[in-house]
Amino acid sequence: MNNTADKLVKAALEARAASYCPYSHFAVGAALLCADGTIYSGANIEVSSHSPTVCAERVAFFRAVHEGKRKFTAIAVVGGGEGQEIDFLCPPCGVCRQVMSEFCNEDFEIILFDGKKSEIHTLGELLPLRFGL
Ligand code: THU
């Protein structure tokens, strides 16, 4: 594991504290590294009617894109029971993978953390044969 990954996991763990998840009680944090070195974080935000709920990864991406960022290097994602320590991996959902695909190439790194160690995957690995226009 490299220093950048450690730094992103730490930022994702901090971001997770802002999760609003009164329905699932599953809190997720994400930290997105832009090509210029800036980091945008996000946490999941739930809504009682469910479908407007937004994942942590998309909060981070949309915050960054709204600030004019378009090039991204990596994202760290951590998730687990609200108020509990992380003890398993939280791979991004399919919708978030498609959002990543909108802005990132297949080398984009997705860093997952199980509470003890991190592992790095690529978008090409997690979303093969992706749709795009
Ligand atoms: N969630 C994320 O934030 N990211 C994912 O990639 C998977 C799921 C959130 C959405 C919802 O608030 C909760 O986790 C349970 O599905």
Side-chain angles (χ1 to χ4, degrees), residues 16 21 25 27 80-85:
R16 184 175 172 246
C21 56
H25 300 289
E82 186 179 23
Q84 294 172 18
E85 297 287 309

Side-chain angles (χ1 to χ4, degrees), residues 21 24 26 28 44-46 53-57 77 90-93 96:
C21 56
S24 73
F26 190 83
V28 184
N44 55 327
I45 300 170
E46 299 185 344
T53 290
V54 186
C55 292
E57 300 92 316
V77 185
C90 180
C93 78
C96 288

Side-chain angles (χ1 to χ4, degrees), residues 18 24 65 77 79 92 95 126 129:
S24 73
V65 171
V77 185
V95 172
L126 297 190
L129 205 64

